[in-house]
Each structure stands twice: as structure tokens, then as C-alpha cells.
Amino acid sequence: DIWNATNMLEILREIETYYPADNTSFLLRGHEGLLPVVEQGSVTSMASKLVPAFTAITDLPALNDYNDLNATSEVGPFERWQNMIFGDAERMSANKVFLNEDVRERSNLVIRLHSTATRVLFTHHKEAYAVAYLENGKYREAWGKDRIILTAGINSPVILQQSGIGDADYLDAIDVAVVHNNTNVGRVVYNHNGITVRFHKNTDDEPSAYNSDLYEGGAWLPNPVDPIERDVLSDDFRTTRRVQAAAINLGDYMDLEFFSLQPRQSGYVTIRDNDPLRAPQSSDRIFLGEDGVYEENFYIDTIRDYCCALTDVFMGEDSVPIDTEYYMVDPPYSMCSDTSDLRQWVRQHATVQAHDWAGSNRMGTTEDEISVCNSKGSVHGVTKLTIADSSVLPQINNGAGIALKYAVALNIVKEVVAKRH
């Protein structure tokens, strides 16, 4: 099983070089990878107030390295974020990290710029042999001898559908030649939707001097609706982390962003027609149906249990105040006792189509009636086509996703390479 915890930990360690703020060597983190993960060097005065406030309302101690293996299923507030940056401000993209100068000089690598992949090409025996793409508006084909590997992320289900893998009836209706009928492509998509609550703050708590510090303090928190929650797909218990809180210092205000890390509600993505350059039709269906109502109540209870309670702690309702300059203003504190008004506010302010799609090409067996590929990323119903991105994940991860996306791709590609030898 290439997805067991031990193997995935080794993959993540292989990818990163971790730079803790106090220069302490953490044994469970990577130190020789290409991806720099830098812990914030300073704790801001705002973060130093927010963390004890979260501890006061949750009884959860502050986390040190929240990406340590021993903390990955834990909850609690923290003062420092970990960023993938170089120096003070340059965010490390996959291009900067993995397509470095040494890699670009390899004789077996060709990079096509100003190009857009449109579909995978198949033989009459459903064997993938090439990728069609447009380069500066001109049609091109890139042929693969052993295997075609698709790593288009949120666009992977779109390319599959344009290639003829999807709902046969729908593809036929929009004049896409059907290669393999699989109604699961793009049918289930999970996302980290969110909502932002604004607090008035003490203006003496100045923003971080580091340009890379978008967030100053945060927390991983349990589900305010149901602390012990079962996974609706597998009936397994979900991990404790259900809420991500991230604080932004805006001078006069503090914005607390809350993200739903393990949503029950899912969305979809499907192509509109056979034009590969036309944007697909998609929706997170954030508050639709029974699961949508659950997510709506989740945000209402998040505001009450965390934001309203934070205001009480900052103001010192039951103890010594932390800082009376901190209190929620949008939604106003008066809404804490009005479910109807809070529900309306949540519907108007929730972030839809957020930033972390997963599950649109779910891995599984051909008999489970929900999967698109197997556990090694090989697409069902065709040969020599592998998906190596987070679209294969059965469920979305319970934290920031970029490092995991790299790990998923590397894990699958290692398997592909191993089969060649």
C-alpha cells in the first residue's frame, strides 16, 4: 500500500527542507529536499494575544510544529505559520522549486511554453499514446512511448472528459467521441470553502515586518457541530481537525478566516461542450441539499463557538481581559444570539469555489461506482494513462494542501518509474 502513513511521511520528508525559527532540528521533518518550508521568525503581538484567547475558549494547548507527525491529527492554536518561501517574500512555486536549472538542462526534458493541453489521444484499443496541445494557437501532439501522465490538478477531469472519458450519454450529446463510459469523472469534488469574520483590534499591535507573513497566528480546531464525526463515505471517524483559523492583521482590524477542512458537501465539474478552451461548468454546491444545510450550520456554530467566545475572552467577561480593543464587528456581536440573522449573514459571506479541489478523479476499484482510477493512478477502462495529482484523493486533506499535492504526484510517479525497471 503506497498510501500508508509511513510511506507518505517519507515522501513528504524527501520533498522538504524545514527551517524552524529556533534552529532546532525536528527528527520527523525533512532536511534535504528541494522545497523550503520556513517557520515564521517572529511572533507578533497580535498572535501572542490570539493564541491564549483560543486556549481559554477551547482548553487546547498551543501547538509548536503543527506539521510534526505527532501533531497532524491534533488541534490547538499556534503562533507561527510555516511558509514555502525563499528569503523574505518570494513564494516557492512548483516551477521555481522543481524545475531548477539542473533539471532544465536534462537532455530528456522538453518544456513547451505558451501551450495548453487539450486532450489525451487513444488508439482503437483504448491505449493512450499522445497528448494534443495548442502552442501559440497551433495544434501540436506530444507522443509518449510508455505512459501518458496527467497532472493538471483541477483541470484533470476536464481533460479526461474532452478526451472521451466520462458520462457517455453526455459526451455523445456534445459531440465528444466516447473512449470509455465513466460517469464518476468530475462527479464529486471537495473543496476548502471558507468565511471571514472581522474584529476590531488594538492598533498598537502592528503587522509583521516580514512581507511573507500574510497570516499572524491561527488554530486547528474541532468541529463545533459534532466533535466526534463520522466520514459519510466510509463510515470511518474523521480526524479531529475540522476548522482552520487564520488571522490577518489589517491595522485597525483583524480578519479571522475560517475554512471547512473536511466538508460533507461536495461539488462537481463538467465540460460545457467540445471546445477545450471554454471554461467548464462547476459548482461547490456549498449550501445545497442535506449536506449543504449541515455545512451552513457548521459556519453558524463556528462563529458562535469561536468568534463570539473570543470576543468574550478578549473583553474579560468571565476572567481578566486579554485586550478589550479586540471584538467582532462583522458580523456584529449582537448576532451571536440570533440564529436567523447569522444564517443570512453566512449565506451572504461564505467563500465559494475556494482553492483546494480534490476527489474529482477519485481512486478506488472498478466496482465501487465512484472511482476513476486505481490506487496507482491508472485510469479505469483505458491503458497507459496515469493521473498524478490531488484529483485522485478520495477525500480532501485536513490542512494546507500544496505540499500534499507534490507528495501525491511524487508517490504515483515513483510507482510508474518502478514498473519500468
Side-chain angles (χ1 to χ4, degrees):
D1 179 10
I2 66 174
W3 301 105
N4 64 70
T6 300
N7 188 60
M8 287 305 296
L9 174 61
E10 289 304 312
I11 292 287
L12 287 165
R13 291 180 64 189
E14 179 181 344
I15 289 173
E16 74 169 1
T17 291
Y18 178 53
Y19 299 94
D22 57 6
N23 293 320
T24 301
S25 176
F26 292 95
L27 296 178
L28 295 176
R29 300 300 297 268
H31 302 287
E32 299 180 356
L34 294 173
L35 179 67
V37 180
V38 181
E39 190 175 54
Q40 288 177 341
S42 63
V43 177
T44 65
S45 56
M46 187 181 82
S48 68
K49 296 175 182 178
L50 181 64
V51 168
F54 267 123
T55 295
I57 66 174
T58 63
D59 291 325
L60 296 169
L63 299 175
N64 185 9
D65 173 14
Y66 58 76
N67 279 321
D68 187 292
L69 176 65
N70 295 319
T72 52
S73 294
E74 292 183 6
V75 287
F78 53 88
E79 295 177 325
R80 292 186 174 101
W81 284 85
Q82 296 175 19
N83 300 317
M84 298 173 188
I85 59 173
F86 180 79
D88 177 33
E90 185 178 5
R91 185 167 183 174
M92 300 305 292
S93 65
N95 175 52
K96 294 175 182 176
V97 174
F98 301 110
L99 288 179
N100 55 43
E101 185 175 346
D102 291 339
V103 172
R104 292 173 185 268
E105 291 178 353
R106 292 177 182 175
S107 60
N108 62 347
L109 174 66
V110 177
I111 300 174
R112 297 296 189 195
L113 301 178
H114 310 294
S115 301
T116 302
T118 57
R119 62 192 178 103
V120 179
L121 304 178
F122 296 91
T123 68
H124 293 299
H125 300 291
K126 299 186 179 182
E127 180 180 289
Y129 69 89
V131 173
Y133 66 99
L134 297 176
E135 183 179 23
N136 291 317
K138 296 182 179 179
Y139 180 85
R140 298 280 190 266
E141 292 181 4
W143 288 44
K145 179 181 178 182
D146 296 317
R147 185 160 290 270
I148 303 298
I149 300 177
L150 181 62
T151 74
I154 62 175
N155 286 316
S156 286
V158 175
I159 293 178
L160 283 187
Q161 292 171 9
Q162 289 289 355
S163 305
I165 301 175
D167 185 327
D169 290 339
Y170 180 71
L171 295 180
D172 186 64
I174 60 174
D175 295 325
V176 173
V178 177
V179 174
H180 177 67
N181 178 33
N182 188 335
T183 58
N184 303 320
V185 178
R187 181 166 67 93
V188 176
V189 181
Y190 290 103
N191 208 341
H192 285 155
N193 301 115
I195 202 162
T196 301
V197 177
R198 175 157 291 184
F199 283 69
H200 182 276
K201 63 173 282 291
N202 191 327
T203 56
D204 289 339
D205 295 333
E206 297 182 353
S208 170
Y210 296 96
N211 295 327
S212 59
D213 290 350
L214 171 62
Y215 297 134
E216 300 178 23
W220 308 104
L221 301 166
N223 188 346
V225 178
D226 182 10
I228 302 177
E229 183 184 14
R230 287 187 178 274
D231 189 309
V232 294
L233 290 177
S234 66
D235 202 37
D236 292 331
F237 284 109
R238 290 166 176 253
T239 63
T240 308
R241 287 184 180 179
R242 183 64 160 79
V243 184
Q244 176 182 343
I248 302 177
N249 191 331
L250 297 176
D252 292 338
Y253 300 100
M254 173 182 71
D255 275 1
L256 271 183
E257 294 183 346
F258 292 93
F259 296 98
S260 175
L261 295 179
Q262 299 178 81
R264 287 191 176 188
Q265 180 63 300
S266 65
Y268 71 92
V269 58
T270 185
I271 58 176
R272 299 173 185 268
D273 51 37
N274 60 7
D275 180 357
L277 299 183
R278 189 177 184 194
Q281 177 179 334
S282 64
S283 173
D284 284 350
R285 295 185 290 217
I286 183 169
F287 294 143
L288 299 180
E290 182 179 348
D291 287 337
V293 172
Y294 184 94
E295 292 300 315
E296 189 174 80
N297 290 331
F298 162 84
Y299 282 117
I300 292 172
D301 284 2
T302 292
I303 293 172
R304 277 188 172 142
D305 288 12
Y306 298 132
C307 297
C308 299
L310 278 174
T311 298
D312 293 339
V313 169
F314 277 124
M315 300 295 290
E317 181 176 287
D318 299 317
S319 61
V320 177
I322 293 177
D323 189 331
T324 57
E325 291 295 312
Y326 281 80
Y327 51 87
M328 59 186 289
V329 294
D330 189 21
Y333 181 80
S334 59
M335 280 192 185
C336 293
S337 59
D338 192 324
T339 300
S340 177
D341 283 353
L342 267 184
R343 188 176 303 278
Q344 186 64 27
W345 188 90
V346 165
R347 289 175 179 174
Q348 292 175 348
H349 290 82
T351 302
V352 298
Q353 300 288 89
H355 61 283
D356 258 341
W357 272 8
S360 56
N361 293 318
R362 175 189 171 101
M363 68 173 79
T365 67
T366 55
E367 294 80 23
D368 62 19
E369 299 182 351
I370 196 172
S371 68
V372 176
C373 63
N374 65 18
S375 62
K376 308 299 174 60
S378 295
V379 177
H380 296 318
V382 298
T383 59
K384 293 190 175 183
L385 176 60
T386 292
I387 303 174
D389 59 43
S390 61
S391 69
V392 307
L393 296 175
Q395 180 57 278
I396 200 165
N397 62 296
N398 66 347
I402 187 64
L404 178 63
K405 291 175 171 63
Y406 296 152
V408 167
L410 180 57
N411 203 21
I412 292 177
V413 170
K414 278 178 174 286
E415 190 70 16
V416 171
V417 172
K419 289 183 178 179
R420 295 183 58 192
H421 299 286

